[in-house]
Amino acid sequence: MIEKPLTPEDVDFVTTLHGEERISFVVLLQPRGDQADVLLRAIDDVAMGELKEAVREGEEPEGSEAREPAEIGLEYSLRALRQAGSEAVGQVIEDHPLDKLTTVVEEAGADEVIVLTAPHYVEEFFHRDWASRARHKVGVPVLKLFAHSE
C-alpha cells in the first residue's frame, strides 16, 4: 500500500527485502483525500521541519482531482517494479483502503503487507496510520516502511 509513486530507492528497497527470492506485488495506491486531512498533513510537515511543504498542503489535488495523477503514479510504480524483475499489478483505491487491502490479501494469498508511506507522526502516535490499523485486519505480517523523498 502506497500513497505516492515509488522512487527508484523505494523500488530497490522493496524488491531486495527478501534477498534473491522472487517476489510479486499487488500495489494499492490511494490518492490524497479523506484518508488524512490537510491539518494533520501540515502538522506532519512541520514536525519534519518541512515548513514550505506545510504551507503548500492546501494546494495539493484531492478527491476526484487526485485520481488522474494517482493513476499515472501507479503505472510508473508498476513499470519500475517490473523493470526490477518483479511481477506487479495494482489499482488506485479511493474508498475504504483497509477493507480493499484485506480483500486483496485474501484473494492473492499474500504472505505479508508492506505499507510504504511518508511519516505521519500524529496518526502514528495514536495508532491510526495504515500500518497500525492493517495489523488488526489483514491476518498477515504488516511491515511499515518510510518512503524515500523524490
Side-chain angles (χ1 to χ4, degrees), residues 79-97:
R79 190 170 43 253
L81 288 167
R82 291 176 191 136
Q83 288 173 346
S86 296
E87 294 178 27
V89 296
Q91 61 184 297
V92 173
I93 52 171
E94 294 183 60
D95 297 319
H96 311 290

Side-chain angles (χ1 to χ4, degrees), residues 35-45 120 122-123:
Q35 78 272 18
D37 68 25
V38 175
L39 178 60
L40 287 179
R41 291 193 310 256
I43 291 170
D44 285 337
D45 289 336
H120 298 293
V122 175
E123 291 175 346

Side-chain angles (χ1 to χ4, degrees), residues 3-5 29-32 60-77 92:
E3 61 186 359
K4 65 179 187 170
L29 186 148
Q30 184 178 27
R32 294 177 71 121
E60 291 290 326
E62 293 189 3
S64 62
E65 292 177 6
R67 177 81 189 190
E68 185 177 347
E71 289 174 353
I72 293 168
L74 176 64
E75 283 306 312
Y76 172 84
S77 299
V92 173

Side-chain angles (χ1 to χ4, degrees), residues 10-63:
D10 293 331
V11 171
D12 185 52
F13 193 39
V14 299
T15 57
T16 60
L17 278 172
H18 297 286
E20 298 298 316
E21 184 179 338
R22 186 146 169 86
I23 301 173
S24 62
F25 294 91
V26 178
V27 180
L28 302 178
L29 186 148
Q30 184 178 27
R32 294 177 71 121
D34 295 336
Q35 78 272 18
D37 68 25
V38 175
L39 178 60
L40 287 179
R41 291 193 310 256
I43 291 170
D44 285 337
D45 289 336
V46 170
M48 293 177 56
E50 297 175 355
L51 299 178
K52 289 181 182 177
E53 292 298 318
V55 172
R56 286 194 288 253
E57 282 297 342
E59 299 170 7
E60 291 290 326
E62 293 189 3

